[in-house]
């Protein structure tokens, strides 16, 4: 009797998880092709461009060569041979290839970059680059200074914390301070189980330059972060739940107060908040099913999509209502597994987890 | 014990069927807007532009005013019953002029004229354009044949013939192969309240009928909710908006059809347009089933619209063995609701809707 009840309970739970995960899985999604204008891949990137951070004068820094340390057996062996790099792309000179940025000597042999962010000093024009680095033993946040003339990065500090369980993205809010999103807890082959069961072990950490504190806890499926135009709101993406969570930021201590969630209807990855228009640009996966097949075998194409969320609400509550647009869709042949998108003056850059980087002119 | 197994089987079958219906309803789907360039409504079309047929000289014939109620209980917006059946003409060579209403022969008005699918046939010898129109008369399904003489007509259509065949059950679209030979689709077996049950049970009782010069109709194919027809070099195409697939048939010399491919398109493709130069197939489509249904019950509720281009990428002897799918237009219903048809001329697009407007777009992006 108890056995029957237990089996039934497990079956119901499994059914509920399948129900929750299946829209995000997108087994029936088709990757229709459409472009906002002429699009092409950016040389020489072929081993991923997972995250992109864009300065206000059109310089994009791209993390490349990500080797996810989540059950290596599930991933294509080729990924383990990827080299972690940072590339630079200039929107003001888009005909030029992406240029590799020289890494600090300390990181050359231990660099596995994921999310990136930057901080620019308004008066001095100094630029800091913040990169999530999956080092051999822990996840660190590398805070680096960019030297424009030498096109090189020097390590300012390497931030470690026991609160960094599985860092995905980073959001700089000062030369020394940032938010870090933990997309889960377990590494290795316990992670797929964590996702399937839906364990709420993700969190967001705020580092004020001295101490780290948990500002969002007991969440699952957290991914990427961006800051609103006026710096008062933080946007956080949830991939399988296909949502953006909006938080208000406390000026005193960086705490986050949940405001609202907006449904985007597709499995979104990294988010970019346009500082000019307030629009949110997202790299998205039309089918997590095909994405997982692509990650197991890179020759399998995974459909890509860019979503633009355009707020329609008033100043006090911009995202009370919104419109969903999609400037770019691909069946995977130009770019597979699109994870990020940034916009600058009628041009767009689309990044992917383990594939190419695409540049588009936007003419519609 | 046996009964428990049987019960479990029945439950499993029912659940699987409900899952299929849920996929058709598209509750899990979201629409993202994007246009191929500047788009605007074409005056004065307001009561639908369900199907569009393009003639050789870039004239588009548009059927309008389709009244879709087949059953008193189907909840269709009562305003649709007041729609007036019309044929409009749109000239791609003069897009600013809007659409002009064609003068119909006496007798083709009121309950006698309820136009649905249309197709043109150009007789190069006489320079005459033949127009076949599916007509849902009050008590029967017919196909009307008109002629249009561009030089002498002052925008009027002359009626030539009414086709009536016992095989005409619930007509949807027509495909002309000469001025005296054509195919039609029955989008189901029933034309009345049984149609709803036919849909709910996902019955495959729709068919394609071949009407020959000698007279008489012959059923040449059956399938699930077949809707629109097109042809291109020895092939005949049929769409299924409910099934979300495109059937590709080889057309035999005797007019019979042999199914070669059934291609999953992933969205509710409605009327088909075969591009005269590229051979690509273009569709007006309904991306979200339940939104489409809600729009038919209340014309003020917007329904999303979509234009799909299917480009065959297979070898020359079997071009549709593999395809690429492009989405040229996507709208939440803000500009146009329930797009059912499309016509292309150069880099211009005409999009028709089941019960609403007609839209003209310039395609700025090379797609």
């Amino acid at each position: 009797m108890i056995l029957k009840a237990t089996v039934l309970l497990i079956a119901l739970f499994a059914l509920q998880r399948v129900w929750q995960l299946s829209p995000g899985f997108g087994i029936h999604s088709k990757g229709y092709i459409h472009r906002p204008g002429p699009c092409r891949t950016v040389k020489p990137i072929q081993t991923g461009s997972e995250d992109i951070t864009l300065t206000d004068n059109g310089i994009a820094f791209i993390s490349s060569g990500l080797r996810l340390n989540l059950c290596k057996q599930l991933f294509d062996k080729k990924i383990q041979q990827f080299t972690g790099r940072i590339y630079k792309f200039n929107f003001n000179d888009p005909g030029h290839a992406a240029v590799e940025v020289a890494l600090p000597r300390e990181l050359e042999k231990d660099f596995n970059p994921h999310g990136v962010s930057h901080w620019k000093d308004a008066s001095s024009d100094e630029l800091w680059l913040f990169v999530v680095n999956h080092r051999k033993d822990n996840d660190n946040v590398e805070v680096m200074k960019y030297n424009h003339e030498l096109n090189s990065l020097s390590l300012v500090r390497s931030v470690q914390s026991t609160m960094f369980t599985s860092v995905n993205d980073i959001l700089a809010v000062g030369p020394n301070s940032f938010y870090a999103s933990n997309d889960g807890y377990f590494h290795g082959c316990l992670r797929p189980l964590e996702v399937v069961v839906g364990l709420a072990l993700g969190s967001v950490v705020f580092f004020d330059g001295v101490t780290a504190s948990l500002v969002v806890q007991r969440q699952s499926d957290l991914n990427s972060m961006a800051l609103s135009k006026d710096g008062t709101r933080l946007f956080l993406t949830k991939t399988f739940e296909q949502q953006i969570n909006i938080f208000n930021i406390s000026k005193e201590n960086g705490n986050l107060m949940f405001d609202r969630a907006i449904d985007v209807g597709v499995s979104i990855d990294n988010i970019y908040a346009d500082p000019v228009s307030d629009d949110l640009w997202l790299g998205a996966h039309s089918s997590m099913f095909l994405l997982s097949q692509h990650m197991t075998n890179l020759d399998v194409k995974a459909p890509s999509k860019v979503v633009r969320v355009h707020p329609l609400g008033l100043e006090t509550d911009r995202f009370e209502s919104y419109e969903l647009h999609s400037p770019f869709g691909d069946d995977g042949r130009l770019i597979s597994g699109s994870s990020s998108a940034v916009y600058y003056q009628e041009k767009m850059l689309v990044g992917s987890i383990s594939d190419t980087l695409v540049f588009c002119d936007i003419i519609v | 014990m046996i009964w428990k197994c049987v019960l479990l089987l029945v439950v499993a079958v029912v659940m699987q069927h409900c899952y299929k219906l849920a996929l058709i309803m598209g509750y899990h789907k979201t629409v993202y807007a994007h246009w191929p360039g500047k788009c605007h409504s074409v005056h004065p079309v307001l009561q639908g532009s369900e199907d569009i047929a393009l003639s050789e000289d870039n004239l588009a014939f548009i059927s309008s005013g389709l009244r879709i109620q087949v059953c008193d209980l189907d909840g269709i917006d009562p305003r649709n019953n007041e729609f007036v059946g019309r044929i409009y003409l749109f000239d791609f060579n003069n897009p600013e002029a809007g659409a002009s209403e064609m003068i119909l022969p006496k007798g083709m008005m009121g309950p006698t004229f309820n136009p649905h699918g249309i197709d043109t046939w150009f007789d190069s010898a006489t320079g005459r354009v033949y127009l076949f129109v599916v007509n849902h008369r009050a008590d029967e399904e017919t196909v009307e044949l008109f002629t249009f003489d561009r030089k002498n007509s002052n925008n009027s259509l002359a009626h030539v013939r009414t086709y009536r065949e016992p095989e005409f059950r619930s007509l949807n679209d027509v495909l002309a192969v000469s001025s005296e030979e054509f195919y039609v689709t029955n989008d189901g077996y029933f034309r009345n309240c049984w149609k709803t049950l036919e849909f709910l049970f996902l019955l495959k009782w729709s068919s394609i009928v071949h009407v020959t010069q000698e007279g008489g109709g012959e059923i040449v194919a059956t399938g699930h909710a077949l809707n629109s027809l097109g042809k291109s070099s020895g092939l005949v195409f049929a769409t299924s908006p409910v099934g979300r697939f495109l059937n590709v048939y080889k057309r035999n010399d005797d007019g019979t059809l042999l199914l070669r491919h059934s291609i999953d398109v992933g969205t509710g493709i409605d009327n088909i347009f075969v591009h005269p130069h590229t051979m690509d197939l273009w569709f007006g489509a309904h991306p979200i089933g339940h939104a489409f249904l809600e729009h038919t019950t209340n014309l003020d509720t917007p329904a999303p619209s979509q234009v799909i281009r299917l480009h065959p990428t297979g070898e020359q002897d079997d071009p549709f063995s593999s395809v690429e799918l492009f989405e040229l237009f996507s709208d939440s219903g803000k500009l146009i609701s329930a797009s059912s048809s499309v016509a292309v001329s150069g880099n211009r697009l005409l999009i028709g809707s089941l019960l609403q407007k007609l839209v003209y777009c310039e395609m700025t992006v090379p797609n």
Side-chain angles (χ1 to χ4, degrees), chain A residues 51 65 80 106 183 203 223 233 268 278 294 311:
Chain A
D51 199 15
Q80 299 316 317
E106 305 94 305
D183 56 23
S203 57
N223 195 301
R233 280 184 308 265
I268 46 179
D278 253 353
H294 168 71

Side-chain angles (χ1 to χ4, degrees), chain B residues 273-294:
Chain B
F273 173 80
V274 181
H275 197 287
H277 306 130
T278 68
M279 298 310 164
D280 283 353
L281 308 181
W282 294 68
F283 310 94
H286 311 289
I288 303 184
H290 75 89
F292 170 83
L293 287 176
E294 281 150 34

Side-chain angles (χ1 to χ4, degrees), chain B residues 154-214:
Chain B
N154 70 324
N155 228 29
S156 64
L157 289 171
H159 189 251
V160 173
R161 188 177 164 175
T162 298
Y163 286 89
R164 295 176 166 88
E165 301 292 340
E167 289 80 10
F168 292 177
R169 298 210 48 97
S170 173
L171 298 181
N172 192 300
D173 197 13
V174 60
L175 172 67
V177 274
S178 80
S179 59
E180 293 169 313
E181 185 185 351
F182 60 91
Y183 292 88
V184 280
T185 43
N186 284 309
D187 56 23
Y189 186 80
F190 294 108
R191 191 195 186 223
N192 49 25
C193 291
W194 290 107
K195 210 182 175 82
T196 312
L197 283 178
E198 198 182 333
F199 162 71
L200 280 175
F201 282 97
L202 303 174
L203 298 173
K204 297 185 179 168
W205 291 354
S206 93
S207 54
I208 302 175
V209 179
H210 178 220
V211 177
T212 57
Q213 213 168 329
E214 293 78 45

Side-chain angles (χ1 to χ4, degrees), chain A residues 63-358:
Chain A
S63 61
S64 174
L66 172 65
R67 305 181 298 283
L68 284 166
N69 53 350
L70 309 165
C71 204
K72 293 195 179 64
Q73 287 89 314
L74 291 178
F75 295 95
D76 191 320
K77 290 191 176 49
K78 289 201 270 289
I79 295 177
Q80 299 316 317
Q81 311 305 319
F82 284 4
T83 305
R85 294 182 174 98
I86 299 289
Y87 284 94
K88 187 179 91 162
F89 177 86
N90 187 351
F91 269 95
N92 305 298
D93 185 15
H96 217 87
V99 177
E100 196 176 336
V101 177
L103 295 170
R105 193 152 294 178
E106 305 94 305
L107 298 180
E108 274 168 11
K109 293 225 164 43
D110 197 3
F111 195 59
N112 185 2
H114 201 150
V116 289
S117 183
H118 75 274
W119 181 262
K120 200 159 166 210
D121 186 297
S123 45
S124 66
D125 254 10
E126 288 171 292
L127 185 68
W128 286 266
L129 201 68
F130 293 67
V131 180
V132 172
N133 186 10
H134 297 297
R135 290 200 188 216
K136 291 190 182 74
D137 298 318
N138 314 302
D139 290 343
N140 280 24
V141 174
E142 317 293 1
V143 184
M144 299 178 278
K145 196 87 175 301
Y146 179 65
N147 182 315
H148 201 93
E149 286 84 45
L150 299 175
N151 188 34
S152 66
L153 292 163
S154 55
L155 190 63
V156 172
R157 66 191 295 189
S158 195
V159 182
Q160 267 188 358
S161 168
T162 49
M163 291 183 193
F164 294 168
T165 55
S166 171
V167 189
N168 187 306
D169 198 13
I170 186 93
L171 176 65
V173 289
N176 282 312
S177 51
F178 57 81
Y179 289 90
S181 58
N182 286 310
D183 56 23
Y185 181 82
F186 291 108
H187 294 259
C189 290
L190 281 174
R191 175 59 73 90
L193 203 66
E194 187 186 331
V195 171
V196 164
V197 172
L199 294 174
L201 300 175
S203 57
V204 177
V205 179
F206 175 62
F207 182 72
D208 64 5
V210 178
T211 44
S213 55
L214 283 169
V215 288
V216 172
Q217 292 184 65
R218 289 182 294 277
Q219 286 280 321
S220 61
D221 196 24
L222 301 183
N223 195 301
S224 166
M225 297 171 295
L227 205 62
S228 65
K229 194 164 82 175
D230 60 8
T232 62
R233 280 184 308 265
L234 184 143
F235 304 100
L236 178 63
T237 61
K238 301 191 89 180
T239 306
F240 276 95
E241 287 179 46
Q242 306 182 334
Q243 274 187 350
I244 300 171
N245 282 5
I246 306 179
F247 296 86
N248 290 314
I249 301 175
S250 157
K251 279 202 197 105
E252 294 102 52
N253 52 17
N255 278 356
L256 299 178
M257 278 84 64
F258 177 74
D259 179 31
R260 65 163 70 246
I262 59 181
D263 282 302
V264 188
V266 67
S267 298
I268 46 179
D269 203 323
N270 292 325
I271 184 169
Y272 168 75
D274 183 4
V276 173
S277 70
D278 253 353
D279 285 354
L280 302 177
W281 291 72
L282 300 136
H285 308 293
S286 308
S287 168
M288 290 298 275
F289 174 66
L290 286 170
L291 179 71
S292 60
Q293 291 199 319
H294 168 71
M295 299 308 290
T296 307
N297 175 1
L298 293 178
D299 295 328
V300 173
K301 304 288 175 207
S304 292
K305 194 187 205 77
V306 171
V307 173
R308 174 171 69 91
V309 185
H310 175 68
L312 297 170
L314 301 167
E315 276 305 318
T316 44
D317 196 1
R318 291 289 279 140
F319 287 89
E320 173 215 15
S321 62
Y322 53 92
E323 274 170 351
L324 294 173
H325 299 258
S326 177
F328 178 89
D330 191 59
D331 61 356
R333 65 189 68 213
L334 187 67
I335 181 167
S336 276
S338 57
S339 53
S340 53
V342 296
Y343 170 83
Y344 183 77
Q345 295 183 353
E346 270 142 54
K347 297 185 271 278
M348 179 175 72
L349 211 58
V350 185
S352 65
I353 302 177
S354 306
D355 198 39
T356 56
L357 175 71
V358 159

